[in-house]
Amino acid sequence: MKERTINIVFAILSAACGIALFVFGLKEAAVDTDVAVDENVIDTMAITIPGILLFADSVMYLLRPKFRSDLKFLFSNLGIVALVGFIAEVVYFQFIHYGLHRPQVKMLVPAILIILAYGVFILVLGGLYLCVRKAAGLTNKKH
């Protein structure tokens, strides 16, 4: 029961962060500036898409019992977020925003940097999760 409660709390925390980022990203995309087109793509890549990723990442905390060890969970979570995040960023800027007729290879650099930044956030959140599990006496529990 204690493990399930911790998993649910962290799933809600991840989902809440994701929803907050998504809403903030939509709000920022609606702001008019002098370089609205360029800023819109960066706002979406840096705020809205990672918000969707964090919301989706909340499922990983509910699936924690499927992983044999804490480290396997932590690195699987990071790997999935990084891979899906990078693919989502590329799909957004190349297929949705710019289209295939205007390839934007230079946008790979911001996509990689954004995913690295959110990867660090995922590691911190996962580390906090593992610390709470350890404090509750649930570390490396085999299932």
Side-chain angles (χ1 to χ4, degrees):
M1 182 68 175
K2 188 173 13 175
E3 179 180 24
R4 191 168 158 199
T5 303
I6 292 170
N7 294 348
I8 290 170
V9 166
F10 274 88
I12 291 171
L13 180 64
S14 180
C17 288
I19 290 170
L21 278 174
F22 181 77
V23 170
F24 181 69
L26 291 180
K27 182 180 156 266
E28 282 297 307
V31 174
D32 282 337
T33 62
D34 294 340
V35 287
V37 174
D38 296 334
E39 190 172 336
N40 189 13
V41 69
I42 295 297
D43 284 346
T44 302
M45 285 176 65
I47 304 170
T48 307
I49 291 174
I52 294 167
L53 286 173
L54 282 176
F55 183 76
D57 185 54
S58 62
V59 174
M60 287 296 289
Y61 294 101
L62 298 176
L63 295 176
R64 167 59 184 98
K66 304 286 183 194
F67 296 92
R68 292 182 182 223
S69 72
D70 291 340
L71 284 177
K72 190 175 263 192
F73 165 76
L74 186 65
F75 290 119
S76 295
N77 192 13
L78 175 65
I80 290 171
V81 167
L83 179 64
V84 171
F86 180 72
I87 291 170
E89 297 275 350
V90 170
V91 165
Y92 168 71
F93 77 74
Q94 192 56 64
F95 295 106
I96 297 172
H97 189 78
Y98 291 108
L100 288 175
H101 61 282
R102 293 185 343 187
Q104 301 292 320
V105 178
K106 65 184 178 202
M107 293 300 288
L108 288 174
V109 174
I112 291 169
L113 294 175
I114 290 166
I115 292 306
L116 284 176
Y118 281 100
V120 170
F121 178 74
I122 291 295
L123 281 177
V124 169
L125 187 61
L128 180 63
Y129 171 73
L130 295 181
C131 287
V132 170
R133 284 179 53 83
K134 185 172 185 169
L138 300 170
T139 308
N140 288 329
K141 186 176 178 184
K142 302 289 183 198
H143 291 279

